[in-house]
Amino acid sequence: MENKVLIFGHKNPDTDSITSSLVMENLERKLGNENVKAVRLGDVNKETQYVLNYLGIEAPELISEVEPNQEVILVDHNDKTQSIDNIGDAKVLKVIDHHAINFTVSSPLYYRAEPVGCTATVLYKLYKENEVEVDKTAATLMLSAIASDTLVLKSPTTTDYDKKVVKELEKITGLDINEYGVDMLKAGTDISDFTPEQVINIDSKLFEQSNKKFRIAQVNTADLDSIFKNQAYFEQAINDDIQKENLDFYVFAATDIINSNSRIISLGNDAPVVEKAFGVAVDNHTAMLENVVSRKKQMLPPILDALNNDVNL
Ligand code: MG
Ligand code: MG
Ligand code: MG
């Protein structure tokens, strides 16, 4: 079908997954590899649409499976549960990522992962290493991704290197991350026309680790109460998904981007794991996690620790 190398981020793509596939396509082309194409594995969320509208560019094409032996480059993920369904049929040439590594392959590949706030930060470094000039569009895409993943440099995932890259991207784009980035994040919090099922799937990730199958979904909001007044509807959508996918538990986190806290709903047979993971009491399936905003750094690791240390779960 496609003799081009396909570049894509994770399912339920966030801004980093969409923009990093576009930026990686641009970098590969500038390095002389014309035979590449950015694609996506899911709908474009409102935050990312804000970025595409700002730049006046189209979203990458949506795909749902690849042909056997299709050559691919993964950005912003490596875990197969978050990739295209038949990723096992593809030949992964490169991975550019900033998540914990849960990936095995039988043949050598280019694997670049750094513990920084965003895939775009790693990509910016690759432009520098390869002495490729960063154009304004690529710079805007990267600035958007960093603003998204680090919640405008407020998340504890933010490194000094992310901050340094942002300064350089601000120079190239003429944008101020505290204005542009905040407007972009706010655009992403508009869920007024979404069903509860759509809301929980804006940014939901599946994990199959420690002999458990679970999801951690996250939605950004500037108003936790507006979400939790509909708690019963979200619980219904979450329970439906638990049934459908046979999940052991589900954590839905509404992250307050103004105050940098998250309030969670946790459901499923193993839902009590969150009490141990976060040291909180769950009341009516919900708990407040103070100063917790990052799934990657502040939600997933304590949950895995609690699962690994609890023989009763
Ligand atoms: Mg991502
Ligand atoms: Mg990312
Ligand atoms: Mg994220």
Side-chain angles (χ1 to χ4, degrees):
M1 158 193 105
E2 205 53 83
N3 56 13
K4 289 191 162 151
V5 176
L6 300 179
I7 306 172
F8 51 84
H10 52 77
K11 282 181 179 166
N12 296 323
D14 55 7
T15 297
D16 190 23
S17 267
I18 298 287
T19 62
S20 288
S21 18
L22 292 167
V23 171
M24 186 62 180
E25 179 191 78
N26 175 272
L27 177 61
E28 287 285 330
R29 291 220 163 114
K30 289 196 169 162
L31 289 171
N33 179 13
E34 290 288 329
N35 202 31
V36 287
K37 181 181 172 184
V39 292
R40 66 185 158 94
L41 305 187
D43 292 340
V44 173
N45 68 34
K46 287 190 184 177
E47 182 193 281
T48 311
Q49 194 57 53
Y50 178 93
V51 178
L52 299 176
N53 291 349
Y54 178 86
L55 287 167
I57 60 177
E58 295 285 317
E61 187 186 316
L62 178 68
I63 62 162
S64 56
E65 59 171 22
V66 290
E67 297 286 310
N69 299 316
Q70 169 68 53
E71 294 182 318
V72 302
I73 294 173
L74 307 184
V75 294
D76 195 37
H77 75 298
N78 68 80
D79 193 324
K80 289 180 175 161
T81 62
Q82 291 153 25
S83 201
I84 197 155
D85 285 338
N86 68 333
I87 184 68
D89 295 337
K91 182 167 191 250
V92 181
L93 301 183
K94 299 184 184 183
V95 178
I96 315 289
D97 192 25
H98 68 124
H99 292 88
I101 300 171
N102 189 26
F103 182 87
T104 48
V105 270
S106 49
S107 50
L109 79 163
Y110 181 96
Y111 197 107
R112 181 74 175 257
E114 295 195 27
V116 291
C118 185
T119 305
T121 303
V122 183
L123 287 170
Y124 184 82
K125 221 171 180 176
L126 290 176
Y127 276 84
K128 294 285 127 183
E129 287 172 10
N130 288 288
E131 298 176 346
V132 174
E133 197 201 330
V134 179
D135 64 44
K136 208 166 169 176
T137 299
T140 306
L141 291 168
M142 288 191 268
L143 186 73
S144 305
I146 299 173
S148 171
D149 270 12
T150 67
L151 297 177
V152 191
L153 305 177
K154 283 196 304 187
S155 166
T157 55
T158 312
T159 65
D160 287 344
Y161 196 76
D162 295 299
K163 291 179 187 164
K164 186 176 136 136
V165 169
V166 162
K167 282 214 176 77
E168 294 179 27
L169 294 172
E170 285 182 324
K171 251 183 257 159
I172 299 167
T173 59
L175 292 168
D176 176 345
I177 196 172
N178 289 308
E179 290 171 15
Y180 170 82
V182 170
D183 288 345
M184 181 203 75
L185 285 178
K186 282 194 180 144
T189 64
D190 174 20
I191 53 167
S192 52
D193 55 344
F194 284 10
T195 65
E197 189 196 355
Q198 287 171 322
V199 173
I200 64 169
N201 283 305
I202 291 173
D203 181 8
S204 174
K205 283 189 179 169
L206 178 67
F207 299 94
E208 292 184 56
Q209 290 182 42
S210 304
N211 294 317
K212 299 291 177 190
K213 187 176 177 189
F214 58 99
R215 280 187 176 273
I216 308 176
Q218 191 169 24
V219 65
N220 288 340
T221 183
D223 178 12
L224 284 175
D225 291 340
S226 71
I227 304 255
F228 278 83
K229 70 173 199 267
N230 295 315
Q231 185 178 341
Y233 297 102
F234 288 115
E235 289 196 9
Q236 183 64 55
I238 292 164
N239 279 322
D240 288 347
D241 198 3
I242 289 170
Q243 291 282 321
K244 197 174 82 189
E245 296 192 287
N246 217 352
L247 303 176
D248 293 298
F249 64 99
Y250 196 119
V251 178
F252 170 75
T255 296
D256 180 338
I257 57 171
I258 311 292
N259 299 303
S260 299
N261 297 316
S262 294
R263 190 170 166 192
I264 58 166
I265 297 173
S266 81
L267 294 166
N269 287 338
D270 289 325
V273 72
V274 301
E275 297 204 320
K276 182 165 269 182
F278 300 111
V280 292
V282 170
D283 180 24
N284 185 28
H285 310 136
T286 178
M288 189 72 180
L289 308 183
E290 300 290 342
N291 302 315
V292 170
V293 298
S294 167
R295 169 174 43 207
K296 173 162 78 95
K297 200 163 178 174
Q298 296 176 296
M299 297 180 203
L300 181 62
I303 286 173
L304 290 178
D305 284 346
L307 288 174
N308 291 337
N309 292 329
D310 196 337
V311 288
N312 296 320
L313 279 168

